[in-house]
């Protein structure tokens, strides 16, 4: 057992006998599933992602696209509508990003890591987990794609991620491009065609803000009079501005609570997850149209969408080994999908690339992790 990772939990549990017993049960159960699914991986002949990634980075030029929380089975169903190439499955280096990054990136790499996610690109995120990982010593360049989040969406839109990546690639061309680009989708919050946003707001708070900022004709008092709560995605339907949202007394309302409260079904969650995947695949398709180097699409881990609750805590990506969390795509993009546009043809996008290799404040990291449901 890694006491560095579990130290804080263990210290707290040791003060409470019942908590200590429950903690010990989790450790034993997690070990059981580690062994069970390692046997499954070997029986199925699924290669380790660690090996395939380290073969890829031997190339003089490459782009590795990481889709956060992308399951192999959903990717298999969706990619033919967007891209051509060769698909296989690999066994992810971790059940969730805090473990995946240090398990996979174990050396120093001559590459640039661009990411909207805090775990691959900030030291502060790992200090909270008592994990020793320094992205600035691991990667030659780190580009954090932050500061572009929509507070209501709690996410950086994937089109901005693509824009920033393309601007960076254009800036280094014609030198070899050696990069990892880590999108946050299909990780929640769900911002595709079907939206599930992690907020709920009392109707009284919504109406109070509307009455302060809008004309009487634009305040939907009658519509909301029979309601107590407005959900995050419904605020989009009312064209809530960033300023209005910041004044509302919004409560975090994550997927599990919504399902437990009867405000969301497993089927609705799966539709939203699939739509998130489609949204990011559309952007990856735009990205690879400008690239003529080897391009591979993979994921840091998968996602539990409620169908294996006999073995996994419900939803998201718990710290337990299971195929829905460890089987991820390894998709080598084919020549038909690549390089049909020149990087030199891109319109200049000023001030999109943030400063490189600069650690954000601990407060900024906490805010980002909270927005993505890690806090």
């Amino acid at each position: 057992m890694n006491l560095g990772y579990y130290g804080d939990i263990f210290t707290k549990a040791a003060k409470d006998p019942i908590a200590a017993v429950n903690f010990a049960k989790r450790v034993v159960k997690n070990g059981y599933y580690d062994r069970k699914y390692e046997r499954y991986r070997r029986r199925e002949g699924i290669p380790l992602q660690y090996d395939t990634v380290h073969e890829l980075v031997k190339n003089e030029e490459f782009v590795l696209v990481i889709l956060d929380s992308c399951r192999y089975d959903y990717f298999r169903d969706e990619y033919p509508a967007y891209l051509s190439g060769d698909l296989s499955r690999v066994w992810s280096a971790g059940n969730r990003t805090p473990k995946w990054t240090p398990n996979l990136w174990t050396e120093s790499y001559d590459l640039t890591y661009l990411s909207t996610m805090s775990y691959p690109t900030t030291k502060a995120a790992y200090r909270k987990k008592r994990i020793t990982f320094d992205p600035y010593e691991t990667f030659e360049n780190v580009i954090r794609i932050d500061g572009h989040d929509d507070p209501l969406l709690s996410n950086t839109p994937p089109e901005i991620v693509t824009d920033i990546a393309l601007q960076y690639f254009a800036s280094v061309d014609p030198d070899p491009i050696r990069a990892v680009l880590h999108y946050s989708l299909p990780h929640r919050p769900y911002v595709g065609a079907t939206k599930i946003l992690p907020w709920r707001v009392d109707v009284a708070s919504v109406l109070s803000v509307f009455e302060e900022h809008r004309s009487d004709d634009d305040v939907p008092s009658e519509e909301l009079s029979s309601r107590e709560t407005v959900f995050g995605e419904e605020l989009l339907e009312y064209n809530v501005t960033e300023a209005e949202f910041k004044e509302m007394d919004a409560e975090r309302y994550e997927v599990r609570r919504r399902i437990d409260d009867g405000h969301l079904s497993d089927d609705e969650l799966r539709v939203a997850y699939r739509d998130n995947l489609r949204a990011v695949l559309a952007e990856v398709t735009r990205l690879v149209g400008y690239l003529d180097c080897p391009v591979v699409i993979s994921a840091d881990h998968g996602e539990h969408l409620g169908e294996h609750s006999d073995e996994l805590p419900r939803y998201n990506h718990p710290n337990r080994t299971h195929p829905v969390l460890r089987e991820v795509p390894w998709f080598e993009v084919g020549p038909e999908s690549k390089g049909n546009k020149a990087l030199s043809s891109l319109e200049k996008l000023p001030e999109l690339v943030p400063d490189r290799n600069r650690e954000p404040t601990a407060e900024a990291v906490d805010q980002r992790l909270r927005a993505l449901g890690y806090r």
Side-chain angles (χ1 to χ4, degrees):
M1 181 176 65
N2 184 343
L3 290 177
Y5 186 78
Y6 291 108
D8 289 339
I9 300 175
F10 185 80
T11 299
K12 294 175 184 178
K15 298 177 182 179
D16 183 334
I18 295 177
V21 169
N22 290 334
F23 175 72
K25 287 180 179 178
R26 286 198 302 274
V27 170
V28 171
K29 187 173 288 188
N30 287 352
Y32 165 76
Y33 285 114
D34 285 345
R35 294 187 295 274
K36 174 181 177 179
Y37 287 114
E38 174 59 16
R39 292 193 296 270
Y40 163 85
R41 182 192 73 79
R42 291 174 180 271
R43 187 168 64 249
E44 293 290 314
I46 304 172
L48 296 173
Q49 185 186 43
Y50 183 93
D51 295 337
T52 56
V53 165
H54 284 81
E55 279 299 311
L56 177 68
V57 300
K58 291 178 182 178
N59 286 280
E60 180 183 9
E61 190 171 22
F62 68 89
V63 174
L64 172 62
V65 176
I66 297 295
L67 306 183
D68 204 287
S69 307
C70 183
R71 282 171 51 158
Y72 168 79
D73 52 352
Y74 277 73
F75 185 93
R76 178 198 60 208
D77 294 344
E78 296 299 328
Y79 87 84
Y82 298 89
L83 296 161
S84 64
D86 296 323
L87 174 64
S88 59
R89 55 181 171 165
V90 294
W91 197 255
S92 166
N95 307 318
R96 54 210 315 258
T97 316
K99 297 184 73 174
W100 173 81
T101 310
N103 286 351
L104 181 65
W105 304 107
T106 57
E107 304 170 17
S108 294
Y109 301 89
D110 173 20
L111 61 81
T112 297
Y113 203 113
L114 304 96
S115 180
T116 64
M117 306 297 285
S118 294
Y119 279 113
T121 58
T122 63
K123 290 186 288 187
Y126 290 97
R127 284 196 293 267
K128 287 279 186 178
K129 296 286 186 182
R130 301 183 70 178
I131 297 173
T132 301
F133 183 79
D134 187 340
Y136 308 106
E137 292 184 357
T138 303
F139 308 114
E140 182 178 11
N141 286 308
V142 173
I143 296 180
R144 292 179 296 99
I145 304 174
D146 58 10
H148 303 282
D149 282 8
D150 180 309
L152 177 54
L153 295 179
S154 301
N155 215 327
T156 299
E159 56 268 25
I160 290 180
V161 178
T162 303
D163 286 342
I164 291 175
L166 287 174
Q167 181 178 332
Y168 169 72
F169 296 154
S171 74
V172 299
D173 187 60
D175 292 337
I177 297 172
R178 297 175 53 80
V180 179
L181 176 59
H182 192 148
Y183 287 88
S184 62
L185 272 61
H187 190 289
R188 68 192 191 283
Y190 300 103
V191 296
T194 302
K195 292 178 174 58
I196 303 173
L197 303 184
W199 306 106
R200 67 175 174 183
V201 189
D202 287 343
V203 165
S205 177
V206 174
L207 290 176
S208 174
V209 171
F210 283 172
E211 288 165 0
E212 180 178 351
H213 290 275
R214 303 185 178 195
S215 66
D216 291 343
D217 292 338
D218 199 25
V219 177
S221 301
E222 290 188 13
E223 274 184 55
L224 297 175
S225 61
S226 62
R227 302 274 303 276
E228 294 183 356
T229 299
V230 178
F231 300 119
E233 59 272 17
E234 294 176 308
L235 296 176
L236 293 177
E237 299 172 11
Y238 291 113
N239 298 313
V240 169
T241 66
E242 181 176 330
E244 288 174 334
F245 180 66
K246 286 182 176 179
E247 292 186 21
M248 292 179 183
D249 187 17
E251 175 194 8
R252 295 289 303 187
Y253 196 48
E254 299 290 355
V255 162
R256 180 167 183 168
R257 287 183 64 195
R258 287 185 68 159
I259 291 176
D260 286 346
D261 292 346
H263 297 308
L264 182 69
S265 70
D266 284 354
D267 287 342
E268 289 170 327
L269 171 63
R270 292 164 193 162
V271 168
Y273 176 83
R274 191 177 296 276
D275 283 345
N276 249 23
L277 177 55
R278 290 171 175 170
V280 73
L281 282 174
E283 282 305 305
V284 174
T285 301
R286 179 163 72 95
L287 175 90
V288 302
Y290 289 93
L291 301 174
D292 57 8
C293 62
V295 180
V296 172
I297 304 170
S298 193
D300 51 353
H301 53 77
E303 186 80 341
H304 181 216
L305 299 171
E307 62 273 74
H308 297 286
S309 296
D310 56 331
E311 294 187 327
L312 290 171
R314 288 194 300 157
Y315 312 110
N316 307 325
H317 33 278
N319 185 29
R320 180 171 295 167
T321 296
H322 191 279
V324 296
L325 302 180
R326 299 296 287 275
E327 286 186 9
V328 297
W330 185 262
F331 182 72
E332 298 177 6
V333 179
E336 302 86 355
S337 296
K338 292 189 301 184
N340 49 50
K341 300 176 184 178
L343 284 168
S344 59
S345 69
L346 286 166
E347 182 180 348
K348 178 66 175 174
L349 300 170
E351 300 179 2
L352 274 181
V353 176
D355 291 338
R356 301 182 197 176
N357 301 332
R358 181 176 296 181
E359 177 76 3
T361 65
E363 180 182 5
V365 172
D366 277 347
Q367 288 175 350
R368 182 72 179 126
L369 293 175
R370 191 174 297 111
L372 292 168
Y374 282 106
R375 291 283 190 264

